[in-house]
Amino acid sequence: NQETALKSLGNEGLFLFSSLDTDKDLYISPEEFKPIAEKLTGVTPVSDFEEEETLDPNGETLSIVAKFQPLLLETMTKSKDGFLGISHVALSGLRNWTAPATPVSVMSAKQFKAFLPPKNKLELGDPWWIIPSELNIFTGYLSNNRFKPSGGKNAEILIHKLLSMFHPRPFVKTRFAPQGAVACVQAISEFYYLIALRIHAEFQLNEPPDFPFWFSPAQFTGHIVLSRDSSHVREFKLFVPNKRSLNVDMEWLYGASESSSMEVDIGYLPQMELESSGPSIPSVIHDENGNVLDSRDPAGEPVQFVFEEIRWQQEMSWEEAAQKLEVAMYPFKKVSYLPFTQAFERAKAEKKLVHSILLWGALDDQSWPGSGRTLRETVLESSPVLALLNESFVSSWSLVKELEELQARRQDKFSSQLAALHLEKYNFPVEMMICLPNGTVIHHINANYFLDITSMKPEEVESSIFSFSSNFEDPSTATYLQFLKEGLQRAKPFLQT
Ligand SMILES: *[C@@H]1O[C@H](CO)[C@@H](O)[C@H](O)[C@H]1NC(C)=O
Ligand SMILES: *[C@@H]1O[C@H](CO)[C@@H](O)[C@H](O)[C@H]1NC(C)=O
Ligand SMILES: *[C@@H]1O[C@H](CO)[C@@H](O)[C@H](O)[C@H]1NC(C)=O
């Protein structure tokens, strides 16, 4: 079939076709055609989320508790001048959002079946898409000017419902890649799965007549312990990591059209998490003879359930599972990116160079738009670049804010000096650097400059949608390879001694 398809469409045609055929059945359903229809007609249909299955009266239910501490406004760069020049209206949705929309929600265990692994994904750490991305080179990104999420089914309904506990307008399909939600089995027992989750989603905080304000947390991560038939949820937790000093990207518009001017900032959100208050329990209890029992004992106390201990037959660590999910979302992570100081130690031991990216916001989550995003989706995940990085470099990326703190901390002279050498060469917003293991920067290039000289503008990508051909040579990959090789060349005299 693949061959027949190739015959009728040719290489490029088949590539376009396959990028739309998300379930790979060689047929394009209306759902799969949607991104192209929207692109060509410019109209995004707004549909409602499908009716949920009616709650099974005999099924189990659990309570999910939402915890939320609002974004710390003082962590936003624009707070430095007291939000000078930013209209009060633009930020009103943000300032207003001080508590979860629904602090507690009772859900049926069955609804969580959307998190069950497909039959062919039962191997530990083998990721699958709970919500596949609809974005690709042909569709580009989704419009900024949207207020109401469009409908979906199964996993989209579940995730929409969960995220609605924080705010009424979650979008389970982000405007920018990597879009969607990914999962992998982290442990298996006779009756249960432990499933690791990573979800990219964002929120629209404003409503018309105000202009859009997008709030994009770095990611939602977490896990679920679910019985194999999804009748019982033992444990569920989903949260936005708060270990880094910045974890939310915000973009707001000063107009209703795509070309309206936009402001961007990043900030720190201390807490955004959902957690089950306990295992799911039957809403109705039957005795051995099938008679319905009161769920309260004669003294009026709720019946206490005893849950058997789960003995995992196979398991992997959370770190390993999280890394598998990260690579699924960000192929550029096929090479490891080490913490800053550690990268230099490793480079010294392995007689390699350090390939370091210093940026204003994070490289491997959704908390920062801009050049970082473009880089990781193009050059950093291209196979020739991955191969060269893997062979000759130790990679690392850091936040400017973190290196500034490291530099200021004078106790550790080595780290402090490494940070100083880096910051000396830094230009906003992203600087790519190649360093000797002792920290000397031997080559560097600014991302904006790099993108200017190499990449196609979004308009150009769009106009090339239907002229896409295999002759299409990605100039940025070639230029990045050149940059890395130049670094190796300059380092030669030093590495040999
Ligand atoms: C802010 O909150 C108030 C009270 O909950 C509500 O009436 C108002 O519409 C909200 N404003 C925005 C912009 O969400
Ligand atoms: C990196 O190199 C090692 C050893 O040569 C190899 O086993 C591995 O597959 C490479 N990884 C990538 C992403 O190229
Ligand atoms: C790092 O090593 C190179 C070559 O040995 C030397 O020229 C340079 O001064 C060193 N840099 C620092 C910061 O020590």
Side-chain angles (χ1 to χ4, degrees), residues 334-335 386-387 390-391:
K334 284 177 192 154
V335 298
L386 282 173
N390 189 33
E391 187 189 311

Side-chain angles (χ1 to χ4, degrees), residues 92-93 96 210:
S92 64
N96 230 10
D210 295 341

Side-chain angles (χ1 to χ4, degrees), residues 104-115:
V104 182
S105 175
V106 175
M107 296 182 64
S108 103
K110 273 281 177 208
Q111 285 185 286
F112 289 83
K113 75 167 183 283
F115 290 147

Side-chain angles (χ1 to χ4, degrees), residues 57-58 282-296 303:
N58 295 316
S283 28
V284 180
I285 311 164
H286 297 271
D287 68 9
E288 316 72 285
N289 303 321
N291 300 318
V292 174
L293 296 183
D294 201 333
S295 63
R296 295 187 176 270
V303 171

Side-chain angles (χ1 to χ4, degrees), residues 117-118 120-128 183-185 316 324-325:
N120 61 346
K121 293 290 178 184
L122 296 181
E123 209 163 292
L124 299 190
D126 188 6
W128 77 91
C184 71
V185 175
M316 70 196 302
K324 298 282 184 188
L325 299 182

